[in-house]
Amino acid sequence: MKKTSFLTLDKAREIIASIPTPFHIYDEAGIRANARALKQAFSWNPGFKEYFAVKATPNPYILKLLMEEGCGLDCSSYTELLLAQAVGATGSDIMFSSNVTPEKDMLKAYELDAYINLDDSTHVDFLNSLVEQMPETICLRYNPGGSFSLGNTIMDMPGHAKYGMTEDQLINAISRLMKLGTKHFGIHAFLASNTTTNEYYPQLAANLFRLAVQVKEATGAHIAFVNLSGGVGVDYRPEQPKCDIAAIGEGVRQQYESILVPAGMDDVAIYTELGRFMLAPYGHLVSTVLHQKHIYREYIGLDACAADLMRPAMYGAYHHITVLGKEDAVLDHVYDVTGGLCENNDKFAIERSLPQIDIGDILVLHDTGAHGHSMGYNYNGKLRSAEVLLRPDGSFRLIRRAEKPSDYFATLDCTEFNFSE
């Protein structure tokens, strides 16, 4: 299979004329279509709601766009809560899923009347010590321990994760919360990351639905929603399978009908917290070739670096590369594609087959719409790039300017140095 860019060479040149590379660009039409496909896949559940994981792409223009499509926002910190507040989210529009939570963060979530997702059983007393009245609805994060498998394949190891509480702790926490006045409960779990199988969500749902029935039987609590969290992945590599969200939604429906409905729990809402699935395929990192180097390997040096896209350096993650204008050229050259950080792992691709690349060529790194710009940093004094929104009519808008040296120096609390350019 072949990955294609939503950006043409002509459009890239038009944008670069006013917004220099590197920059991250997002495809509004693709984002909206994907949000609608997700909503349709779970339309069988009247209470369904997607809570977009703000950490994936924390830009208010993107968050507002998703809210227009009916999404809520999943926040994990005080600053993300401020972002949610700035775009008009409040109350049940916000899911606050945090761990090792500071008082300030918890109080802000309470002030906004967000759904608070408690990561640990001790957080019952922690929250109770901070507020005069416990929320009417509270979510609890579950960790089943051990490994999570599909068939004979181990998908991940929840028992090694720092998140969530055991089943006994969860039941005990709900019993205590009921005595403190909480009336409705949610159950949440995240067991595997970036799965590209349609079976993950239905299997996770089955586990959580069974847990919900057990909790109700043990405590009498009203389970208002089950939050399937994230984990639905994207096809970073051209040969990878692409998740079929309609098939995933149908698989969850079948588990719902077989487990919750017979238990008299057909009012349970389904929530999701998808970041990567919602945004990754609809973002590119756009960069210009600055240099070539011919030593033991052939190197292509870009004006972007790991400070703009950390995943390849941090995880060895694959991001597909398109050389704009050479989409149909023969892949008869092998390159390492690098940035300019003083770190040898600053490589977007290693021994990648690509067409002949020349200085000045414009390269697109695919699937950077989630966990791309958001993971940027300033090592080596590198400055974070701009973000651009490509509108359905072909127009574009700068939604975050590139950093300047003055931004880098702004937090130095001193007046004895002159950092002027």
PDB file of all heavy atoms in Angstrom, residues 209-233:
ATOM      1  N   PHE A 209     -16.962  -4.382  31.020  1.00  0.00           N
ATOM      2  CA  PHE A 209     -18.394  -4.640  31.222  1.00  0.00           C
ATOM      3  C   PHE A 209     -18.599  -5.697  32.306  1.00  0.00           C
ATOM      4  O   PHE A 209     -19.482  -5.555  33.165  1.00  0.00           O
ATOM      5  CB  PHE A 209     -19.044  -5.098  29.916  1.00  0.00           C
ATOM      6  CG  PHE A 209     -19.070  -4.051  28.824  1.00  0.00           C
ATOM      7  CD1 PHE A 209     -19.313  -4.415  27.503  1.00  0.00           C
ATOM      8  CD2 PHE A 209     -18.855  -2.705  29.101  1.00  0.00           C
ATOM      9  CE1 PHE A 209     -19.350  -3.469  26.492  1.00  0.00           C
ATOM     10  CE2 PHE A 209     -18.880  -1.744  28.099  1.00  0.00           C
ATOM     11  CZ  PHE A 209     -19.124  -2.130  26.785  1.00  0.00           C
ATOM     12  N   ARG A 210     -17.785  -6.758  32.290  1.00  0.00           N
ATOM     13  CA  ARG A 210     -17.890  -7.780  33.338  1.00  0.00           C
ATOM     14  C   ARG A 210     -17.563  -7.180  34.700  1.00  0.00           C
ATOM     15  O   ARG A 210     -18.222  -7.482  35.705  1.00  0.00           O
ATOM     16  CB  ARG A 210     -16.958  -8.951  33.042  1.00  0.00           C
ATOM     17  CG  ARG A 210     -17.346  -9.760  31.803  1.00  0.00           C
ATOM     18  CD  ARG A 210     -16.500 -11.015  31.679  1.00  0.00           C
ATOM     19  NE  ARG A 210     -16.667 -11.617  30.357  1.00  0.00           N
ATOM     20  CZ  ARG A 210     -15.800 -11.502  29.369  1.00  0.00           C
ATOM     21  NH1 ARG A 210     -14.679 -10.811  29.556  1.00  0.00           N
ATOM     22  NH2 ARG A 210     -16.027 -12.075  28.204  1.00  0.00           N
ATOM     23  N   LEU A 211     -16.541  -6.333  34.726  1.00  0.00           N
ATOM     24  CA  LEU A 211     -16.187  -5.662  35.982  1.00  0.00           C
ATOM     25  C   LEU A 211     -17.329  -4.782  36.457  1.00  0.00           C
ATOM     26  O   LEU A 211     -17.647  -4.756  37.660  1.00  0.00           O
ATOM     27  CB  LEU A 211     -14.920  -4.824  35.783  1.00  0.00           C
ATOM     28  CG  LEU A 211     -14.474  -3.985  36.984  1.00  0.00           C
ATOM     29  CD1 LEU A 211     -14.113  -4.871  38.170  1.00  0.00           C
ATOM     30  CD2 LEU A 211     -13.285  -3.088  36.591  1.00  0.00           C
ATOM     31  N   ALA A 212     -17.955  -4.058  35.548  1.00  0.00           N
ATOM     32  CA  ALA A 212     -19.076  -3.191  35.916  1.00  0.00           C
ATOM     33  C   ALA A 212     -20.202  -3.992  36.552  1.00  0.00           C
ATOM     34  O   ALA A 212     -20.807  -3.568  37.559  1.00  0.00           O
ATOM     35  CB  ALA A 212     -19.584  -2.443  34.690  1.00  0.00           C
ATOM     36  N   VAL A 213     -20.504  -5.168  36.006  1.00  0.00           N
ATOM     37  CA  VAL A 213     -21.554  -6.024  36.573  1.00  0.00           C
ATOM     38  C   VAL A 213     -21.148  -6.487  37.972  1.00  0.00           C
ATOM     39  O   VAL A 213     -21.962  -6.465  38.911  1.00  0.00           O
ATOM     40  CB  VAL A 213     -21.814  -7.229  35.648  1.00  0.00           C
ATOM     41  CG1 VAL A 213     -22.774  -8.218  36.311  1.00  0.00           C
ATOM     42  CG2 VAL A 213     -22.388  -6.760  34.311  1.00  0.00           C
ATOM     43  N   GLN A 214     -19.879  -6.881  38.131  1.00  0.00           N
ATOM     44  CA  GLN A 214     -19.401  -7.334  39.441  1.00  0.00           C
ATOM     45  C   GLN A 214     -19.462  -6.208  40.471  1.00  0.00           C
ATOM     46  O   GLN A 214     -19.841  -6.433  41.630  1.00  0.00           O
ATOM     47  CB  GLN A 214     -17.979  -7.862  39.304  1.00  0.00           C
ATOM     48  CG  GLN A 214     -17.869  -9.147  38.491  1.00  0.00           C
ATOM     49  CD  GLN A 214     -16.444  -9.473  38.085  1.00  0.00           C
ATOM     50  OE1 GLN A 214     -15.500  -8.807  38.497  1.00  0.00           O
ATOM     51  NE2 GLN A 214     -16.291 -10.502  37.259  1.00  0.00           N
ATOM     52  N   VAL A 215     -19.086  -5.014  40.050  1.00  0.00           N
ATOM     53  CA  VAL A 215     -19.111  -3.868  40.971  1.00  0.00           C
ATOM     54  C   VAL A 215     -20.545  -3.569  41.410  1.00  0.00           C
ATOM     55  O   VAL A 215     -20.812  -3.325  42.593  1.00  0.00           O
ATOM     56  CB  VAL A 215     -18.462  -2.636  40.312  1.00  0.00           C
ATOM     57  CG1 VAL A 215     -18.739  -1.378  41.131  1.00  0.00           C
ATOM     58  CG2 VAL A 215     -16.965  -2.843  40.147  1.00  0.00           C
ATOM     59  N   LYS A 216     -21.456  -3.584  40.464  1.00  0.00           N
ATOM     60  CA  LYS A 216     -22.855  -3.322  40.806  1.00  0.00           C
ATOM     61  C   LYS A 216     -23.382  -4.372  41.775  1.00  0.00           C
ATOM     62  O   LYS A 216     -24.070  -4.042  42.755  1.00  0.00           O
ATOM     63  CB  LYS A 216     -23.715  -3.294  39.548  1.00  0.00           C
ATOM     64  CG  LYS A 216     -25.184  -2.993  39.839  1.00  0.00           C
ATOM     65  CD  LYS A 216     -26.031  -2.993  38.581  1.00  0.00           C
ATOM     66  CE  LYS A 216     -27.505  -2.729  38.925  1.00  0.00           C
ATOM     67  NZ  LYS A 216     -28.361  -2.775  37.726  1.00  0.00           N
ATOM     68  N   GLU A 217     -23.052  -5.643  41.515  1.00  0.00           N
ATOM     69  CA  GLU A 217     -23.517  -6.714  42.402  1.00  0.00           C
ATOM     70  C   GLU A 217     -22.901  -6.605  43.792  1.00  0.00           C
ATOM     71  O   GLU A 217     -23.551  -6.897  44.797  1.00  0.00           O
ATOM     72  CB  GLU A 217     -23.189  -8.073  41.779  1.00  0.00           C
ATOM     73  CG  GLU A 217     -24.001  -8.380  40.531  1.00  0.00           C
ATOM     74  CD  GLU A 217     -23.589  -9.675  39.856  1.00  0.00           C
ATOM     75  OE1 GLU A 217     -22.517 -10.224  40.235  1.00  0.00           O
ATOM     76  OE2 GLU A 217     -24.309 -10.141  38.947  1.00  0.00           O
ATOM     77  N   ALA A 218     -21.640  -6.162  43.866  1.00  0.00           N
ATOM     78  CA  ALA A 218     -20.945  -6.084  45.151  1.00  0.00           C
ATOM     79  C   ALA A 218     -21.339  -4.865  45.966  1.00  0.00           C
ATOM     80  O   ALA A 218     -21.338  -4.911  47.206  1.00  0.00           O
ATOM     81  CB  ALA A 218     -19.433  -6.076  44.916  1.00  0.00           C
ATOM     82  N   THR A 219     -21.688  -3.757  45.289  1.00  0.00           N
ATOM     83  CA  THR A 219     -21.907  -2.500  46.005  1.00  0.00           C
ATOM     84  C   THR A 219     -23.299  -1.914  45.826  1.00  0.00           C
ATOM     85  O   THR A 219     -23.706  -1.053  46.612  1.00  0.00           O
ATOM     86  CB  THR A 219     -20.893  -1.439  45.522  1.00  0.00           C
ATOM     87  OG1 THR A 219     -21.149  -1.142  44.142  1.00  0.00           O
ATOM     88  CG2 THR A 219     -19.466  -1.924  45.690  1.00  0.00           C
ATOM     89  N   GLY A 220     -23.989  -2.308  44.773  1.00  0.00           N
ATOM     90  CA  GLY A 220     -25.271  -1.684  44.454  1.00  0.00           C
ATOM     91  C   GLY A 220     -25.113  -0.343  43.767  1.00  0.00           C
ATOM     92  O   GLY A 220     -26.100   0.372  43.548  1.00  0.00           O
ATOM     93  N   ALA A 221     -23.888   0.004  43.402  1.00  0.00           N
ATOM     94  CA  ALA A 221     -23.617   1.308  42.807  1.00  0.00           C
ATOM     95  C   ALA A 221     -24.197   1.404  41.398  1.00  0.00           C
ATOM     96  O   ALA A 221     -24.296   0.409  40.675  1.00  0.00           O
ATOM     97  CB  ALA A 221     -22.112   1.556  42.749  1.00  0.00           C
ATOM     98  N   HIS A 222     -24.576   2.616  41.011  1.00  0.00           N
ATOM     99  CA  HIS A 222     -25.034   2.859  39.644  1.00  0.00           C
ATOM    100  C   HIS A 222     -23.829   3.171  38.766  1.00  0.00           C
ATOM    101  O   HIS A 222     -23.132   4.178  38.962  1.00  0.00           O
ATOM    102  CB  HIS A 222     -26.011   4.030  39.586  1.00  0.00           C
ATOM    103  CG  HIS A 222     -26.408   4.384  38.182  1.00  0.00           C
ATOM    104  ND1 HIS A 222     -26.210   5.638  37.640  1.00  0.00           N
ATOM    105  CD2 HIS A 222     -26.957   3.627  37.182  1.00  0.00           C
ATOM    106  CE1 HIS A 222     -26.638   5.651  36.393  1.00  0.00           C
ATOM    107  NE2 HIS A 222     -27.081   4.446  36.086  1.00  0.00           N
ATOM    108  N   ILE A 223     -23.555   2.309  37.804  1.00  0.00           N
ATOM    109  CA  ILE A 223     -22.458   2.536  36.858  1.00  0.00           C
ATOM    110  C   ILE A 223     -23.026   3.344  35.695  1.00  0.00           C
ATOM    111  O   ILE A 223     -23.801   2.838  34.883  1.00  0.00           O
ATOM    112  CB  ILE A 223     -21.856   1.217  36.364  1.00  0.00           C
ATOM    113  CG1 ILE A 223     -21.451   0.336  37.557  1.00  0.00           C
ATOM    114  CG2 ILE A 223     -20.658   1.494  35.466  1.00  0.00           C
ATOM    115  CD1 ILE A 223     -20.458   0.973  38.503  1.00  0.00           C
ATOM    116  N   ALA A 224     -22.636   4.598  35.621  1.00  0.00           N
ATOM    117  CA  ALA A 224     -23.191   5.506  34.609  1.00  0.00           C
ATOM    118  C   ALA A 224     -22.485   5.382  33.267  1.00  0.00           C
ATOM    119  O   ALA A 224     -23.111   5.560  32.217  1.00  0.00           O
ATOM    120  CB  ALA A 224     -23.096   6.949  35.107  1.00  0.00           C
ATOM    121  N   PHE A 225     -21.187   5.095  33.311  1.00  0.00           N
ATOM    122  CA  PHE A 225     -20.454   5.001  32.043  1.00  0.00           C
ATOM    123  C   PHE A 225     -19.236   4.095  32.194  1.00  0.00           C
ATOM    124  O   PHE A 225     -18.724   3.875  33.291  1.00  0.00           O
ATOM    125  CB  PHE A 225     -20.030   6.380  31.523  1.00  0.00           C
ATOM    126  CG  PHE A 225     -19.106   7.157  32.426  1.00  0.00           C
ATOM    127  CD1 PHE A 225     -17.727   6.965  32.377  1.00  0.00           C
ATOM    128  CD2 PHE A 225     -19.599   8.120  33.299  1.00  0.00           C
ATOM    129  CE1 PHE A 225     -16.867   7.687  33.187  1.00  0.00           C
ATOM    130  CE2 PHE A 225     -18.750   8.850  34.123  1.00  0.00           C
ATOM    131  CZ  PHE A 225     -17.383   8.634  34.064  1.00  0.00           C
ATOM    132  N   VAL A 226     -18.817   3.564  31.066  1.00  0.00           N
ATOM    133  CA  VAL A 226     -17.558   2.835  30.950  1.00  0.00           C
ATOM    134  C   VAL A 226     -16.701   3.575  29.945  1.00  0.00           C
ATOM    135  O   VAL A 226     -17.117   3.822  28.810  1.00  0.00           O
ATOM    136  CB  VAL A 226     -17.786   1.375  30.501  1.00  0.00           C
ATOM    137  CG1 VAL A 226     -16.462   0.723  30.107  1.00  0.00           C
ATOM    138  CG2 VAL A 226     -18.465   0.570  31.608  1.00  0.00           C
ATOM    139  N   ASN A 227     -15.504   3.950  30.377  1.00  0.00           N
ATOM    140  CA  ASN A 227     -14.584   4.726  29.551  1.00  0.00           C
ATOM    141  C   ASN A 227     -13.514   3.780  29.008  1.00  0.00           C
ATOM    142  O   ASN A 227     -12.666   3.291  29.757  1.00  0.00           O
ATOM    143  CB  ASN A 227     -13.953   5.842  30.391  1.00  0.00           C
ATOM    144  CG  ASN A 227     -13.134   6.803  29.566  1.00  0.00           C
ATOM    145  OD1 ASN A 227     -12.626   6.457  28.510  1.00  0.00           O
ATOM    146  ND2 ASN A 227     -12.988   8.025  30.061  1.00  0.00           N
ATOM    147  N   LEU A 228     -13.545   3.543  27.704  1.00  0.00           N
ATOM    148  CA  LEU A 228     -12.602   2.625  27.060  1.00  0.00           C
ATOM    149  C   LEU A 228     -11.234   3.266  26.821  1.00  0.00           C
ATOM    150  O   LEU A 228     -10.323   2.604  26.310  1.00  0.00           O
ATOM    151  CB  LEU A 228     -13.177   2.130  25.734  1.00  0.00           C
ATOM    152  CG  LEU A 228     -14.517   1.386  25.824  1.00  0.00           C
ATOM    153  CD1 LEU A 228     -15.009   1.008  24.427  1.00  0.00           C
ATOM    154  CD2 LEU A 228     -14.407   0.156  26.700  1.00  0.00           C
ATOM    155  N   SER A 229     -11.096   4.511  27.155  1.00  0.00           N
ATOM    156  CA  SER A 229      -9.851   5.280  27.051  1.00  0.00           C
ATOM    157  C   SER A 229      -9.320   5.270  25.616  1.00  0.00           C
ATOM    158  O   SER A 229     -10.067   5.345  24.660  1.00  0.00           O
ATOM    159  CB  SER A 229      -8.812   4.773  28.058  1.00  0.00           C
ATOM    160  OG  SER A 229      -8.401   3.458  27.762  1.00  0.00           O
ATOM    161  N   GLY A 230      -7.987   5.180  25.453  1.00  0.00           N
ATOM    162  CA  GLY A 230      -7.380   5.221  24.130  1.00  0.00           C
ATOM    163  C   GLY A 230      -6.902   3.851  23.701  1.00  0.00           C
ATOM    164  O   GLY A 230      -7.449   2.834  24.090  1.00  0.00           O
ATOM    165  N   GLY A 231      -5.846   3.836  22.899  1.00  0.00           N
ATOM    166  CA  GLY A 231      -5.254   2.571  22.496  1.00  0.00           C
ATOM    167  C   GLY A 231      -5.541   2.152  21.077  1.00  0.00           C
ATOM    168  O   GLY A 231      -4.852   1.283  20.533  1.00  0.00           O
ATOM    169  N   VAL A 232      -6.577   2.711  20.446  1.00  0.00           N
ATOM    170  CA  VAL A 232      -6.831   2.411  19.038  1.00  0.00           C
ATOM    171  C   VAL A 232      -5.784   3.162  18.212  1.00  0.00           C
ATOM    172  O   VAL A 232      -5.669   4.383  18.302  1.00  0.00           O
ATOM    173  CB  VAL A 232      -8.254   2.818  18.626  1.00  0.00           C
ATOM    174  CG1 VAL A 232      -8.472   2.556  17.144  1.00  0.00           C
ATOM    175  CG2 VAL A 232      -9.281   2.065  19.464  1.00  0.00           C
ATOM    176  N   GLY A 233      -5.018   2.419  17.435  1.00  0.00           N
ATOM    177  CA  GLY A 233      -3.861   3.003  16.791  1.00  0.00           C
ATOM    178  C   GLY A 233      -4.069   3.399  15.347  1.00  0.00           C
ATOM    179  O   GLY A 233      -5.185   3.389  14.819  1.00  0.00           O
TER     180      GLY A 233
END
